[in-house]
Amino acid sequence: MAIAAKPYLQEVSIRPDMDLDYDLYPYNIAAVRELGHLTFHQDVTFFVGENGAGKSTVLEAIALALGYSPEGGTKNVQLSTTDSVSNLYQALRLAKSFRKPSDGYFLRAESFFNLATYMDDVGYLGGYGNKSLHARSHGEAFMAVLLQKFSGKGLYLLDEPEAAMSPSRQLAALAAIHQLVQDDSQFIIATHSPILLSYPNAKILQFDGTGISEVSYEDTEHFAITRDFLNHYPRRLEQLLNED
Ligand SMILES: Nc1ncnc2c1ncn2[C@@H]1O[C@H](COP(=O)(O)OP(=O)(O)O)[C@@H](O)[C@H]1O
Ligand SMILES: [Mg+2]
């Protein structure tokens, strides 16, 4: 039996020889302090958790350790307009497959605007349907990256890709992700989207005050709260808005 090429990124841990200050960012975040050995699904691994739980910090550190720039893009993009990057990437140990992915991308909602400007400046729009990312809505630009830029057999890191997408676009994104997975791709995605989280070939890692633990789709707050609200919204609204 052949050895599987996926997952391209198998595991991430903090190097044991590091001298870390747990009172300072990023080691003061529970998810970082208790990182342990994060093992990834061969298809899709989701990071979920409250705002500020450390999802972006960990995803960014993985991206930097893989050679991406903090603002994202392909590895050819070297764009850093902020100096707020944590040094976590220097402390990470990555376990990788014997096979390198042939494509890759780090997509972050937070800095997508800067990335789009950079693409205009360098005049490289070939992989993006030859149209400036600024000339599309945010959600359209994300879909352009997903559908036109990602070529398969890749390792893709996405931070809140749903940020600008309508629900129907999120469903289309789910289908696009599935196609890429079937074409030997691996994704690591930080998301709040109950639609994206439903993807079946996936592992969901929940970031919270105790660290990082695996959770099933229906046990995520995203699923439970959304379903409860939509099923009972008149009553839930009354409770929310009429609270003293
Ligand atoms: N550059 C920074 N310096 C200090 N604290 C930071 C920095 N970036 C993020 N933080 C803090 O780290 C925590 C985790 O942030 P982040 O990883 O962005 O969370 P998430 O993506 O899960 O919402 C937050 O409390 C945030 O305020
Ligand atoms: Mg974030």
Side-chain angles (χ1 to χ4, degrees):
M1 206 179 84
I3 306 169
K6 284 205 296 180
Y8 301 111
L9 183 59
Q10 299 163 333
E11 190 181 293
V12 165
S13 55
I14 293 187
R15 285 168 34 198
D17 55 332
M18 298 298 289
D19 189 17
L20 307 172
D21 188 342
Y22 291 102
D23 293 326
L24 286 178
Y25 176 78
Y27 302 100
N28 60 352
I29 301 171
V32 175
R33 200 172 52 236
E34 307 289 337
L35 189 77
H37 290 258
L38 274 192
T39 55
F40 299 103
H41 193 283
Q42 61 159 350
D43 296 333
V44 178
T45 304
F46 290 112
F47 291 174
V48 300
E50 264 315 313
N51 302 116
K55 305 178 298 296
S56 294
T57 299
V58 172
L59 195 63
E60 172 190 277
I62 292 170
L64 293 178
L66 287 168
Y68 290 95
S69 100
E71 305 263 28
T74 65
K75 286 187 191 174
N76 294 326
V77 176
Q78 289 306 327
L79 168 70
S80 183
T81 52
T82 63
D83 53 9
S84 65
V85 172
S86 85
N87 61 6
L88 177 59
Y89 71 99
Q90 292 165 331
L92 289 188
R93 182 156 70 185
L94 308 187
K96 298 184 204 168
S97 167
F98 67 93
R99 169 127 1 120
K100 280 196 173 148
S102 42
D103 188 34
Y105 208 92
F106 176 33
L107 181 74
R108 358 177 43 161
E110 286 172 4
S111 56
F112 194 68
F113 183 88
N114 294 342
L115 182 68
T117 302
Y118 173 88
M119 288 302 167
D120 282 357
D121 288 349
V122 298
Y124 177 73
L125 296 166
Y128 297 90
N130 287 309
K131 185 174 170 190
S132 168
L133 294 171
H134 280 305
R136 309 165 195 250
S137 78
H138 199 174
E140 286 169 338
F142 268 42
M143 277 311 278
V145 172
L146 198 57
L147 295 175
Q148 292 165 21
K149 186 70 188 160
F150 293 6
S151 59
K153 300 177 181 50
L155 172 58
Y156 304 109
L157 312 178
L158 317 181
D159 196 352
E160 296 191 30
E162 76 278 11
M165 287 183 187
S166 69
S168 72
R169 273 263 158 67
Q170 291 180 43
L171 293 173
L174 203 51
I177 288 167
H178 184 54
Q179 292 252 310
L180 287 157
V181 161
Q182 288 179 312
D183 188 17
D184 267 336
S185 298
Q186 179 188 1
F187 286 83
I188 302 173
I189 306 174
T191 185
H192 295 295
S193 165
I195 293 176
L196 292 185
L197 282 172
S198 72
Y199 188 64
N201 310 328
K203 174 178 187 173
I204 302 177
L205 296 174
Q206 175 161 299
F207 287 47
D208 61 25
T210 65
I212 303 175
S213 49
E214 191 173 350
V215 61
S216 70
Y217 176 51
E218 297 196 4
D219 284 336
T220 61
E221 280 198 346
H222 310 66
F223 175 85
I225 292 178
T226 308
R227 181 172 68 169
D228 174 78
F229 184 77
L230 293 178
N231 283 338
H232 310 286
Y233 74 90
R235 189 145 46 94
R236 293 290 177 262
L237 275 176
E238 199 180 352
Q239 290 166 334
L240 272 172
L241 306 184
N242 294 331
E243 249 172 29
D244 291 322

